[in-house]
Amino acid sequence: MGQTQTLPRDVSYLAFDLLPDLICVDSPGGTGPRHFNTAWKQHASALGVPDAFSKWLPIVLPSDQPDVTRTLRESPSPDTSQSTTFRIRSPDGQYRWFLLRIVQRAPAGCEDPTRILILTDIDEQKRHEENLLQKADIRDRMLNVSVDCIKEIRTDGTLVHMNAAGCEALNVDRASGFGMEWLNLLPTEAHEPGRAALREAAAGQNARFMGLSQLPGQSARHWDNMLTPLLKPDQSVEAILCVSRDITTQRENEQRIALLLNELNHRSKNMLAIFQALIRRTVPDPQAPFVRVLEERITSIARSQDLLIHGEWTGATVHDVVTSQTVVAGDFPATRLRIEGDPALQFVPETADRIGLAIYELTTNAIKYGALSNDTGTITITWNLQEENGKQIFCMCWKENGGPTVTLPERRGFGSIVIEHNPRSIPGASSSCSHEPDGTIWTFRAPAENVVRLPSLLF
């Protein structure tokens, strides 16, 4: 054993000279450095300092010197190690990061341990960590300025991170470290829809649900919760992003608008009723046929208005407009009054009343003279969107079959104006009404963007 300790230095520490780390070996008993490996000596030369590490302290960043001095002073127990990181000034004036590790080894047959100092250049790693921390700090500051509650959730529902707005809304300490069950922070009534949305997001699907929150002493808040899966390169779900938006003001405004619309509808109906009363009191004969026709037309306008009010003045579906205006025909079977078209397609408010009144006039004419005046006639009402020259065109057709032989009307009255001319006031629209021997045919065409609410224009 003693022979091993007396071997020439270049043989004993040959392995250290092959390593890229800077290595210094102190003699047992702390009598001084016994060996500096090649990397250490080369680096000391490049720094312009002696080999002894104690001479390096002047080029250590002043704020790091206390940690280095303490680590050198507090030697670890045998066969253990301790470490610290610090910065050394390079000849170009820049500082580079190093990791200092001190290892105590007790050679066999020797009471005093040998101390080994190992310096590893970790500047690139440290710069990368600092860059990541800076990006994380920027991300947190960006998230914290948002008024939305933004959360990262694991697929099992535990909370990973939440921005400042979320912590405030759910009464969570920002320094808590999170890790709690996200749904347990929400009111009980939100648990079931929240679990369903969480399952969808964990399966890779976007999900959404409405919820409420209420802190002690505060009014309830309405939230729109949107869950988006965050995918790995293999498309499996790594985590879930949940953005909760406070829509309390929106909900309150919607309720206020609904009340105003209902009040407007009520007052408008009262006004129409006054018009009807004025007509009956003004004309010489309140029972005259034209009075009844006029009242029915006013009622038709009221039905269209009802549809718009119930749709919060955003429009009414074509299907609802057609069915509400043909209801005056009575309970006809679907084989005689066929309605065919996309039930979800909506008229814009400016269109619903014009087309509705035209459908009403066509219906009353069919009852009096056309396909609904006998027991065999049929009416087919269709609508669709067609592509023409790169633009969508809304097309609607009223077609009667099997009714009495149609004759051209002797005069063109108000009904003809409503059926043909009134719809043409819509920009780009055209309409025609022909009285064929087998029944009346009415067609209407207009640029779809002027007539219906297109999905591409909703957002």
Side-chain angles (χ1 to χ4, degrees):
M1 297 296 180
Q3 186 179 15
T4 302
Q5 296 176 31
T6 59
L7 287 174
R9 185 176 303 169
D10 58 336
V11 175
S12 301
Y13 303 110
L14 179 61
F16 289 161
D17 289 335
L18 301 176
L19 297 176
D21 290 334
L22 283 59
I23 301 175
C24 167
V25 182
D26 284 344
S27 299
T31 56
R34 182 176 182 182
H35 178 75
F36 299 101
N37 76 338
T38 301
W40 186 293
K41 289 186 287 187
Q42 290 176 345
H43 201 76
S45 175
L47 291 173
V49 295
D51 291 339
F53 186 62
S54 60
K55 303 297 184 180
W56 292 27
L57 286 178
I59 62 171
V60 173
L61 188 70
S63 60
D64 294 344
Q65 290 181 12
D67 283 342
V68 174
T69 303
R70 183 169 52 254
T71 303
L72 290 171
R73 188 184 304 118
E74 298 174 356
S75 297
S77 303
D79 298 324
T80 62
S81 65
Q82 61 186 43
S83 63
T84 188
T85 57
F86 65 99
R87 284 154 287 185
I88 294 178
R89 187 179 68 249
S90 301
D92 61 1
Q94 301 297 316
Y95 283 92
R96 292 187 67 83
W97 280 95
F98 282 83
L99 168 65
L100 169 62
R101 287 170 290 170
I102 299 179
V103 181
Q104 295 277 40
R105 294 296 183 194
C110 181
E111 294 182 359
D112 293 326
T114 296
R115 188 170 73 159
I116 303 174
L117 278 66
I118 306 172
L119 286 176
T120 304
D121 189 329
I122 58 169
D123 192 72
E124 184 176 343
Q125 175 186 336
K126 270 290 189 179
R127 303 292 181 192
H128 182 63
E129 290 177 0
E130 289 175 345
N131 187 43
L132 291 178
L133 289 173
Q134 185 180 22
K135 289 181 178 179
D137 179 63
I138 293 174
R139 177 207 64 186
D140 287 344
R141 283 188 281 125
M142 288 174 60
L143 294 177
N144 288 336
V145 298
S146 174
V147 296
D148 293 335
C149 301
I150 305 174
K151 300 164 283 292
E152 180 186 348
I153 305 169
R154 294 188 182 92
T155 54
D156 63 2
T158 55
L159 193 60
V160 177
H161 183 76
M162 185 160 57
N163 71 339
C167 291
E168 181 179 353
L170 297 177
N171 198 26
V172 173
D173 186 353
R174 293 171 61 180
S176 64
F178 307 109
M180 66 283 291
E181 290 286 336
W182 165 57
L183 288 176
N184 288 342
L185 301 173
L186 306 182
T188 305
E189 55 268 23
H191 288 185
E192 188 53 39
R195 272 192 290 269
L198 193 61
R199 284 193 298 269
E200 288 184 46
Q205 303 295 321
N206 292 332
R208 191 173 192 172
F209 73 99
M210 301 298 171
L212 285 170
S213 71
Q214 186 168 13
L215 296 177
Q218 298 185 14
S219 58
R221 312 295 296 177
H222 293 266
W223 297 92
D224 182 6
N225 303 284
M226 294 162 283
L227 282 71
T228 304
L230 304 177
L231 304 179
K232 299 178 183 177
D234 63 0
Q235 299 304 299
S236 62
V237 179
E238 181 174 12
I240 298 168
L241 176 68
C242 177
V243 179
S244 302
R245 180 157 295 170
D246 188 340
I247 57 170
T248 304
T249 302
Q250 177 184 331
R251 281 295 180 89
E252 291 173 349
N253 288 339
E254 288 172 355
Q255 293 171 356
R256 196 156 36 244
I257 290 171
L259 288 173
L260 291 173
L261 287 175
N262 286 332
E263 178 64 20
L264 175 63
N265 192 33
H266 177 70
R267 295 194 178 199
S268 297
K269 284 185 174 180
N270 285 345
M271 188 64 68
L272 292 174
I274 292 173
F275 288 159
Q276 289 176 319
L278 287 174
I279 292 169
R280 285 193 293 268
R281 290 176 177 272
T282 303
V283 300
D285 182 7
Q287 302 301 320
F290 84 90
V291 174
R292 182 175 56 83
V293 171
L294 187 55
E295 288 180 342
E296 288 175 352
R297 286 170 175 164
I298 292 174
T299 302
S300 171
I301 294 172
R303 281 196 292 269
S304 294
Q305 179 177 286
D306 266 342
L307 290 175
L308 292 174
I309 292 294
H310 292 148
E312 297 183 352
W313 216 260
T314 59
T317 67
V318 181
H319 184 273
D320 284 348
V321 170
V322 170
T323 54
S324 69
Q325 299 300 345
T326 55
V327 72
V328 295
D331 190 17
F332 277 91
T335 54
R336 294 198 61 191
L337 183 57
R338 292 193 289 267
I339 299 174
E340 301 172 358
D342 182 358
L345 197 61
Q346 272 194 328
F347 278 135
V348 296
E350 297 79 6
T351 304
D353 56 348
R354 291 183 176 91
I355 302 299
L357 197 54
I359 296 295
Y360 166 78
E361 291 293 335
L362 287 165
T363 303
T364 56
N365 286 346
I367 295 171
K368 295 176 182 177
Y369 320 109
L372 299 183
S373 66
N374 62 17
D375 296 330
T376 58
T378 63
I379 297 175
T380 303
I381 308 170
T382 60
W383 64 89
N384 57 45
L385 296 176
Q386 298 178 3
E387 191 81 16
E388 290 186 11
N389 299 323
K391 293 186 177 181
Q392 288 188 304
I393 304 297
F394 175 80
C395 303
M396 193 171 197
C397 180
W398 168 291
K399 183 173 177 57
E400 299 182 26
N401 285 290
T405 301
V406 177
T407 58
L408 291 176
E410 295 180 359
R411 64 182 184 87
R412 299 176 66 81
F414 179 76
S416 298
I417 295 174
V418 170
I419 293 171
E420 295 186 56
H421 298 284
N422 194 41
R424 293 177 193 166
S425 62
I426 298 169
S430 64
S431 66
S432 65
C433 185
S434 60
H435 302 284
E436 306 298 329
D438 195 38
T440 297
I441 299 176
W442 174 81
T443 60
F444 171 81
R445 292 165 56 84
E449 61 184 3
N450 298 335
V451 180
V452 292
R453 292 172 61 85
L454 297 175
S456 60
L457 301 178
L458 294 181
F459 303 101

